[in-house]
C-alpha cells in the first residue's frame, strides 16, 4: 500500500509512534479557546481528503501505539483549504483531556474516511432548512451554513443553537457573522441565514431549551415563520442523546419522516460525539 496519498501523509508523521493504518497525520494551524469547556482548532487538509459538508471523521492524537479516536464533525465547509473542529474539554475525557492542550504545529491524527447523515443529500427538497443544535452539536452546521449548496437547495436556513451559558454561544455567532461577510456565500446568507440562540442557565434575551421554544411556538414567532410542517420544512438535528430524542419526537409529531443517505426524507439526526 504505497499509493501517492500514503506517501504524502507520512510527511507530518508523529515521532515515537508509527502512524496508525488508515490515518492522516495533520498539523495544527490555529487554536482558539472560547470558555473553559469549549475550543476550536484548524488543521492542514490532505490533498486527497474528500468529504461532504456536515460529515464527521475520527480524530485522535499520536500519543500511543493504539491512540484513542473519537468522532468529530468537520466544522469547515467541503470547499475549505483547511479543516476546522469544534470541541468540548472534559477533564477526564480519554481524548479531550489531551486534545485541549494542542498548540499550533502539533500533530493530530485523522482517519481517512468521512461519513454521516447530516448531509443535504439525505433530505428531500424543501423551502426551509432548520438546524437544531445544542452545545458542540453546532459543528456540522458551521460547515453546512458555509456551503453554497445549502442555499441552492433552501430559501431559508435557520440555525438554532441552545447552550447553558451566554459565552458558549460565541462560536456560532462568530461563524454566522463571518458567513454573512464571506465572498463565496455571503450574498445568499446575508438575508437567508437566521440564527436563533437561547440559554438555559444564564440570563439572555431568549431563555429555555430549544425544544420547548420550538414546541411552544416561541421560536417560529420570533423568526416570523410558520410552525415546522412536512410540506415546507426540513430539519437536521445534532446534540446530546436526550436532545436528539426530544427533537426527533417534535419532528415526528409535526408529521416529518426520518431520512438517511440512501433514503432522503424530511429530517435527519446525528449524535454530537463528545468526551
Ligand atoms: P439544560 O441546562 O436545561 O440542561 P450540555 O452542555 O449539557 O450538552 O447542554 C447544552 C444545552 O442543551 C443546555 O442548554 C441544556 O439545557 C440543553 N439540553 C439538554 N438536554 C436537552 C434536551 N433533552 N432537549 C433540549 N435541550 C437540552
Amino acid at each position: 500500500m504505497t499509493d501517492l496519498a500514503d506517501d504524502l501523509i507520512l510527511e507530518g508523521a508523529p515521532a515515537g509512534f508509527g502512524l496508525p493504518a488508515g490515518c492522516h497525520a495533520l498539523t495544527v494551524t490555529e487554536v482558539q479557546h472560547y470558555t473553559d469547556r469549549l475550543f476550536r482548532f484548524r488543521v492542514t487538509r490532505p490533498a486527497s481528503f474528500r468529504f461532504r459538508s456536515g460529515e464527521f471523521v475520527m480524530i485522535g492524537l499520536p500519543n500511543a501505539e493504539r491512540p484513542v479516536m473519537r468522532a468529530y464533525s468537520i466544522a469547515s465547509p467541503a470547499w475549505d483549504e483547511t479543516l476546522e473542529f469544534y470541541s468540548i474539554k472534559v477533564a477526564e475525557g480519554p481524548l479531550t483531556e489531551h486534545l485541549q492542550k494542542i498548540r499550533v504545529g502539533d500533530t493530530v491524527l485523522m482517519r481517512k474516511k468521512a461519513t454521516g447523515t447530516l448531509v443535504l443529500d439525505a433530505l428531500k427538497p424543501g423551502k426551509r432548512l432548520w438546524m437544531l443544535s445544542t452545545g458542540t452539536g453546532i459543528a456540522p452546521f458551521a460547515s453546512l451554513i458555509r456551503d453554497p449548496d445549502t442555499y441552492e437547495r433552501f430559501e431559508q436556513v435557520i440555525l438554532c443553537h441552545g447552550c447553558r451559558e451566554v459565552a458558549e454561544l460565541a462560536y456560532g455567532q462568530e461563524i454566522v457573522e463571518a458567513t454573512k461577510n464571506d465572498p463565496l456565500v455571503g450574498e445568499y446568507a446575508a438575508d437567508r441565514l437566521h440564527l436563533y440562540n437561547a440559554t438555559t442557565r444564564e440570563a439572555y434575551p431568549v431563555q429555555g431549551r430549544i425544544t420547548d421554544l420550538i414546541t411552544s411556538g416561541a421560536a417560529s414567532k420570533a423568526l416570523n415563520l410558520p410552525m415546522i410542517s412536512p410540506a415546507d420544512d426540513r430539519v437536521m438535528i445534532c446534540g446530546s442523546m436526550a436532545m436528539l430524542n426530544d427533537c426527533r419526537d417534535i419532528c415526528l409529531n409535526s408529521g416529518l419522516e426520518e431520512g438517511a443517505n440512501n433514503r432522503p426524507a424530511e429530517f435527519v439526526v446525528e449524535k454530537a460525539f463528545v468526551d
Side-chain angles (χ1 to χ4, degrees):
M1 273 235 351
T2 50
D3 62 13
L4 185 60
D6 282 324
D7 289 339
L8 287 175
I9 60 173
L10 288 171
E11 235 173 64
F17 300 99
L19 184 64
C23 281
H24 291 289
L26 312 175
T27 305
V28 178
T29 59
E30 254 182 82
V31 183
Q32 184 180 353
H33 293 268
Y34 286 89
T35 69
D36 57 1
R37 294 206 316 140
L38 295 165
F39 72 114
R40 74 165 181 95
F41 60 95
R42 274 191 179 257
V43 292
T44 50
R45 178 174 178 170
S48 61
F49 178 66
R50 291 175 58 184
F51 72 101
R52 293 181 292 175
S53 296
E55 287 188 319
F56 67 83
V57 280
M58 305 299 292
I59 67 172
L61 288 170
N63 55 3
E65 204 60 58
R66 297 185 61 187
V68 173
M69 305 289 287
R70 289 287 184 268
Y72 270 78
S73 290
I74 301 167
S76 46
W79 53 261
D80 211 333
E81 281 170 17
T82 54
L83 302 172
E84 180 166 296
F85 297 97
Y86 184 51
S87 178
I88 196 148
K89 307 176 202 175
V90 181
E92 309 273 301
L95 175 60
T96 66
E97 177 191 358
H98 307 291
L99 191 66
Q100 63 182 282
K101 296 178 191 140
I102 53 166
R103 293 174 179 226
V104 171
D106 286 353
T107 299
V108 169
L109 304 177
M110 180 182 81
R111 290 231 176 94
K112 289 181 183 176
K113 191 161 166 37
T115 186
T117 52
L118 300 183
V119 290
L120 295 168
D121 288 342
L123 292 174
K124 285 184 178 166
K127 215 174 188 175
R128 290 178 289 269
L129 175 57
W130 292 77
M131 300 167 163
L132 309 185
S133 64
T134 53
T136 54
I138 194 174
F141 305 136
S143 171
L144 281 158
I145 63 167
R146 292 185 267 184
D147 192 324
D149 217 15
T150 303
Y151 303 94
E152 266 168 39
R153 298 193 195 208
F154 295 97
E155 288 172 25
Q156 305 285 325
V157 179
I158 307 110
L159 172 57
C160 299
H161 188 211
C163 289
R164 297 181 188 184
E165 294 165 12
V166 178
E168 295 171 342
L169 299 173
Y171 175 72
Q173 290 164 340
E174 272 180 31
I175 296 281
V176 166
E177 186 64 26
T179 303
K180 293 194 174 206
N181 292 308
D182 185 90
L184 187 67
V185 289
E187 183 189 335
Y188 313 111
D191 301 331
R192 292 160 50 196
L193 171 62
H194 311 282
L195 177 63
Y196 184 72
N197 279 153
T199 59
T200 48
R201 302 193 194 183
E202 195 182 6
Y204 190 70
V206 182
Q207 265 185 274
R209 286 187 168 189
I210 287 291
T211 39
D212 295 333
L213 294 160
I214 289 173
T215 318
S216 69
S220 296
K221 193 169 170 212
L223 292 156
N224 203 16
L225 293 172
M227 296 291 275
I228 291 174
S229 78
D232 294 328
D233 298 288
R234 302 293 171 257
V235 183
M236 290 180 161
I237 306 165
C238 190
S240 63
M241 198 50 94
M243 178 272 196
L244 299 188
N245 289 335
D246 291 351
C247 290
R248 180 185 274 116
D249 285 348
I250 292 176
C251 289
L252 293 173
N253 291 336
S254 305
L256 278 66
E257 199 191 320
E258 185 165 355
N261 268 287
N262 56 356
R263 192 175 35 83
E266 284 120 18
F267 77 94
V268 280
V269 174
E270 201 141 85
K271 185 173 181 283
F273 307 80
V274 280
D275 75 356

